[in-house]
Amino acid sequence: MSTLPVQQTSPTFVGMPSFPEAAREALANTQQRDNLRNATHTIRAKRAAVVAEVPEWESLRVAGADAKDEALTHLGDYLEQLEASLTANGATVHWARDADEANAIVVEIARAKGVDEVVKVKSMATQEIELNEALEAAGIAAWETDLAELIVQLFGDRPSHILVPAIHRNRTEIRDVFLREMAKVGRPAPEDLTDEPARLAEAARLHLREKFLRARVAVSGANFAVADTGTLVVVESEGNGRMCLTLPETLISVVGIEKVLPTWDDLAPMLQLLPRSSTGERMNPYTTMWSGVHDGDGPQEVHVVLLDNGRSHVLADTVGRQALRCIRCSACLNVCPVYERTGGHAYGSVYPGPIGAVLNPQLRGTASEVDQSLPYASSLCGACFDACPVRINIPELLVELRGTVAEQGGHRAESAAMKAAAWVLSDPRRLAVAQRGATTAGRLVGDRTVRRVPGLGAWTDARDVPTPPKETFRQWWARERGES
């Protein structure tokens, strides 16, 4: 088996507040919570309807999981095959160990073309490595062309959903930012713009059209990369991706190494699983495929950057590697009771929700506070596994990661509390003393609600403390039955 490029530096990601801190802020934002609830419930209902139409849905899930597992088990071989296929078709393949290497490759290509702007297809890999910021630092503007990504960019915001990055915004907010910001970076929005979806989409189309027509370099990701044919695949709903992938002279695709599929046949179940699981559609409105340079049709120079950035670390874990099956459908987000209330920003990465809670700590390690807290950002209800089209057992991974955090000494306050509880509960005399103390506190507190406890400020910011009982069961038994 061929070996993967050895990762010599740490993966690079966006730094954000810890999950508990960011979640408290999200819970206080009632408008955002309403937006999230309405959007996720709508997508969830559409998905349920179209999945129910497919009697062999479970067989498709198994086929998708098997194809990804085959690719991951022999990833080195399939990546070399992908490189050979792409190269034979006239593409140039680059290998990037981390974000810095990937960004440097893209910046160097753009500079060689003498451009000061690029257009972009929606890509989580480029968000992961902060490519837009790297291009900006090099004096190159990166224009997002996906409608939701454009909204996020105009807000100066971060995506909060894998599929619908601006899910936390409503129509009125979008209209206002179009009127305020579009004129600063290109064609202004019409002065009489309303918040009707059709009018907002038209304003975005007119704003972006001039960028499509003048751009000489485009940047994309890929949903899938087929090893035996060297085919890269992007699926989308709007058509902006196809404009980026066909009009510019030079195309740069940043592709995570886990996106590879062994054969063309393996693509078939994916193109059935992904649209139903993501947008609740029977098929993608636009599916664009390319495998290199073709005379007179499409870009005349194609570069493919194969990105590691922590993925080889995940691959080394025989249990955890199943997270690399993820096809970025977002089905797990839409059924998750935690994500529905906190939104994506609380997860501290471009990968939010249940899959982010397992993928981020695996890619980055569990040294930071945010990555220690993410495996606990779940009720372990199992809805995410039921929804996942490639059968990633996210609850299993969450439990495993919680064990890793505990072994590494993370969550010290919780660990100390559990050790103290074990010490008290292991001896009847200690338990009796603790119960007498609790009942004394209960009589002092009375019927008042305990809203804050010294030393537990962060924990009690989002919940009331149960009022201590005025009497234990043993005391009640002794009083009622006269027995101790």
Side-chain angles (χ1 to χ4, degrees):
M1 174 178 172
S2 302
T3 57
L4 292 170
V6 177
Q7 182 166 351
Q8 297 177 343
T9 55
S10 300
T12 306
F13 290 87
V14 179
M16 295 182 71
S18 68
F19 184 87
E21 178 185 346
R24 285 193 296 274
E25 295 177 1
L27 289 170
N29 188 335
T30 56
Q31 178 65 66
Q32 176 176 294
R33 290 176 65 185
D34 286 342
N35 296 347
L36 283 166
R37 183 175 61 254
N38 293 336
T40 55
H41 281 229
T42 298
I43 298 171
R44 192 161 73 192
K46 289 179 62 180
R47 176 194 175 277
V50 297
V51 166
E53 298 173 351
V54 184
E56 68 276 13
W57 181 252
E58 189 60 28
S59 297
L60 283 174
R61 291 180 75 203
V62 171
D66 287 348
K68 294 293 288 187
D69 283 346
E70 167 64 20
L72 294 171
T73 303
H74 306 286
L75 188 56
D77 293 330
Y78 287 121
L79 286 173
E80 288 191 346
Q81 185 181 12
L82 175 66
E83 179 185 30
S85 300
L86 285 166
T87 302
N89 290 329
T92 302
V93 177
H94 310 261
W95 297 83
R97 291 181 177 88
D98 56 23
D100 290 339
E101 285 192 6
N103 289 336
I105 291 167
V106 177
V107 168
E108 181 181 353
I109 296 169
R111 280 177 169 165
K113 297 302 172 185
V115 300
D116 59 5
E117 65 176 2
V118 300
V119 290
K120 290 184 72 240
V121 187
K122 178 181 181 295
S123 163
M124 299 194 69
T126 61
Q127 292 169 2
E128 172 189 321
I129 63 176
E130 298 187 281
L131 177 61
N132 287 12
E133 290 79 359
L135 287 167
E136 183 180 1
I140 302 168
W143 303 116
E144 296 289 352
T145 63
D146 175 83
L147 176 55
E149 291 287 357
L150 172 65
I151 292 166
V152 169
Q153 188 173 45
L154 292 176
F155 269 107
D157 202 354
R158 296 282 187 184
S160 65
H161 191 277
I162 289 176
L163 180 70
V164 194
I167 196 172
H168 56 293
R169 300 291 185 179
N170 60 34
R171 295 186 301 178
T172 301
E173 292 175 309
I174 295 167
R175 179 203 62 196
D176 292 344
V177 80
F178 277 13
L179 290 170
R180 186 175 67 248
E181 299 294 333
M182 274 187 171
K184 299 178 183 178
V185 293
R187 179 170 179 150
E191 293 183 1
D192 63 345
L193 183 65
T194 68
D195 64 359
E196 296 176 36
R199 292 292 309 278
L200 295 172
E202 175 69 5
R205 187 187 72 82
L206 294 173
H207 175 79
L208 291 170
R209 183 54 59 95
E210 59 178 300
K211 293 179 169 53
F212 287 132
L213 295 177
R214 71 172 185 241
R216 294 165 49 204
V217 176
V219 177
S220 82
N223 293 96
F224 307 104
V226 183
D228 67 348
T229 60
T231 304
L232 301 184
V233 183
V234 162
V235 298
E236 50 159 338
S237 298
E238 300 171 13
N240 62 292
R242 183 162 296 179
M243 300 278 279
C244 289
L245 295 166
T246 57
L247 290 177
E249 301 166 2
T250 301
L251 173 61
I252 308 168
S253 300
V254 181
V255 184
I257 57 175
E258 83 283 10
K259 295 299 183 74
V260 69
L261 291 174
T263 70
W264 181 263
D265 289 341
D266 294 318
L267 188 59
M270 298 302 180
L271 294 182
Q272 298 178 73
L273 291 166
L274 181 55
R276 283 181 165 83
S277 297
S278 57
T279 56
E281 296 172 293
R282 295 178 181 87
M283 64 182 295
N284 298 294
Y286 295 90
T287 300
T288 306
M289 304 181 184
W290 70 104
S291 55
V293 176
H294 300 277
D295 292 337
D297 182 21
Q300 297 305 293
E301 190 171 328
V302 174
H303 296 265
V304 180
V305 182
L306 295 175
L307 174 70
D308 188 327
N309 206 37
R311 288 157 175 79
S312 57
H313 293 327
V314 185
L315 188 69
D317 184 341
T318 54
V319 176
R321 70 169 53 168
Q322 63 180 298
L324 294 179
R325 293 181 196 158
C326 178
I327 58 175
R328 310 293 191 260
C329 70
S330 77
C332 62
L333 280 69
N334 299 326
V335 299
C336 178
V338 177
Y339 175 86
E340 182 183 284
R341 288 160 177 78
T342 62
H345 294 153
Y347 289 82
S349 170
V350 297
Y351 303 113
I355 189 61
V358 296
L359 189 57
N360 295 325
Q362 288 182 287
L363 289 171
R364 305 186 297 204
T366 54
S368 69
E369 182 182 358
V370 64
D371 291 309
Q372 290 177 2
S373 64
L374 283 178
Y376 295 87
S378 171
S379 64
L380 297 180
C381 65
C384 49
F385 171 69
D386 292 337
C388 178
V390 287
R391 296 178 54 84
I392 302 172
N393 194 335
I394 295 176
E396 177 187 36
L397 296 182
L398 287 167
V399 172
E400 182 184 15
L401 284 166
R402 290 180 185 187
T404 300
V405 170
E407 289 172 2
Q408 294 176 349
H411 277 263
R412 293 179 178 83
E414 290 89 338
S415 298
M418 291 299 103
K419 288 179 181 178
W423 182 78
V424 170
L425 295 172
S426 64
D427 187 290
R429 291 168 296 181
R430 290 195 287 263
L431 176 59
V433 172
Q435 288 176 327
R436 286 196 295 271
T439 54
T440 301
R443 288 191 291 272
L444 292 174
V445 170
D447 295 326
R448 290 172 295 183
T449 300
V450 180
R451 301 197 181 278
R452 194 169 184 86
V453 176
L456 293 177
W459 193 86
T460 54
D461 279 347
R463 53 179 65 78
D464 297 331
V465 177
T467 302
K470 300 175 184 178
E471 187 177 41
T472 68
F473 172 78
R474 288 186 177 186
Q475 291 168 339
W476 174 86
W477 184 271
R479 176 169 55 80
E480 291 292 321
R481 302 296 180 91
E483 301 175 18
S484 58

